[in-house]
Amino acid sequence: MLAKRIIPCLDIKNGETVKGTNFVNLRSAGDPVELGKSYSDQGADELVYLDITASYEGRKTFTDLVRRVAAELSIPFTVGGGINELSDVDRLLNAGADKVSVNSAALRRPELVNEITSHFGSQVCVVAIDAKYTEEKGWKCYVKGGREETDWGLFDWAREVCERGAGEILFTSMNHDGVKEGFANDALARLSDILSIPVIASGGAGKMEHFRDTFIQGKSDAALAASVFHFGEISIPDLKHYLKSEGINVRL
Amino acid sequence: MKVAIVKYNAGNIRSVINALKRLGIDPLFTDDADELRSSDRVLFPGQGEAGTTMAYLKTHELDNVIRSLRQPVLGICVGMQLMCRHSEENDTDCLGIFPTEVKRFQPLVHEQKVPQMGWNTIERLQSPLFRNINDGSFVYFVHSFYVPDNEFSIATTDYITPYCSALHKDNFYATQFHPEKSGKIGEQILKNFLEIE
């Protein structure tokens, strides 16, 4: 049976790992290559490296870092941040990334998703969605690292990119991110129900129970977290043993 | 040891090169028939679509070269599928090294997503390729098409249906999963392949 995946996310700024609370107030948390190797040894199923400054400063993702990670790591990893066109994807895949995640650029120009999947296959294309829920507007997608609201609703946009060939959805709830009170399981379950591709839950992990809940109530295929892993609040082996004891199929 | 990777129009072989380098091997990446024939080991990895990759192999006469290899050969993912007789993916006639069909996953319920993407177990292991690997070990898969169980199967995996996740016949080996992305288990499998007599 296919295992549920645990994915540490490494936010990268100037070659260092950082983690923000609600997308601001960044704290440093170590060397990205060493940290990635350590997660791999502990049993992480995949890694995500996000160049968090790229989308609004227009910088290219750190190709050299990707090359170093690819040389050292024997599990799959995704690279995101600042991917605006096909040549960015080509460069990052050539450097050894297994998948790329696109966010703002796809919202600006949805055809980018078709271009990536027709050139490199659906499996390399993760569409990352940052969305915020408000009473008056419901779930709305945001661009530029959560700085700018768009007209797209979360579920319409997810359906749209799925039809355009996206391989996975990485959904971050801006309401839950950094708050550590659990994932946005209602929205995640609805995404899983309407989409035919895997959904990765992001934003809100604080305790091991939150992972169980997103796999069961949220119907998530994978769960992503950063600070709880970086600062040792949850160890990956403990988490996986806990999930297994709760009847969830994980790789041990 | 001279190890060659078959160069053709299948995507992303960088991770296979990296995995071999971690084992101390600096592989050749070549479509030259003499180089492939004179290597101690040949790897035939691949991501991509069966029709266009098979057409490329034929145009470049790599189909006959691969079939005629005598040293241990390891196909990975689409490489494995291309080594079979025929694929449902664009109704493609393949290399025919393994006399088996390649079929598309047919989900029975919504939760069964295609492609299968992630870690799943390999069972009923029976090959030197899996020396020191236990039944139930997790390896990494990304695929929409699969090989049904058959007499050349050396590993079984269950996704939607139990299917064949590795093959062996004569000097030809193949895995549906990606050993180069399967952590320490995958590393051991690649090491085993390099050490096969």
Side-chain angles (χ1 to χ4, degrees), chain B residues 23-88:
Chain B
L23 293 171
I25 300 281
D26 198 3
L28 281 173
F29 181 43
T30 181
D31 56 6
D32 182 89
D34 292 335
E35 292 279 22
L36 290 170
R37 288 200 182 100
S38 66
S39 293
D40 301 306
R41 298 287 183 276
V42 173
L43 285 94
F44 180 45
Q47 287 176 8
E49 183 274 317
T52 50
T53 48
M54 197 58 219
Y56 182 98
L57 292 176
K58 280 184 180 163
T59 311
H60 293 76
E61 291 178 9
L62 284 166
D63 55 339
N64 289 325
V65 174
I66 294 168
R67 277 191 209 102
S68 68
L69 293 173
R70 292 284 169 264
Q71 66 276 59
V73 177
L74 178 65
I76 297 173
C77 197
V78 169
M80 162 161 159
Q81 297 180 359
L82 292 176
M83 286 159 87
C84 296
R85 183 178 54 211
H86 177 266
S87 173
E88 281 185 3

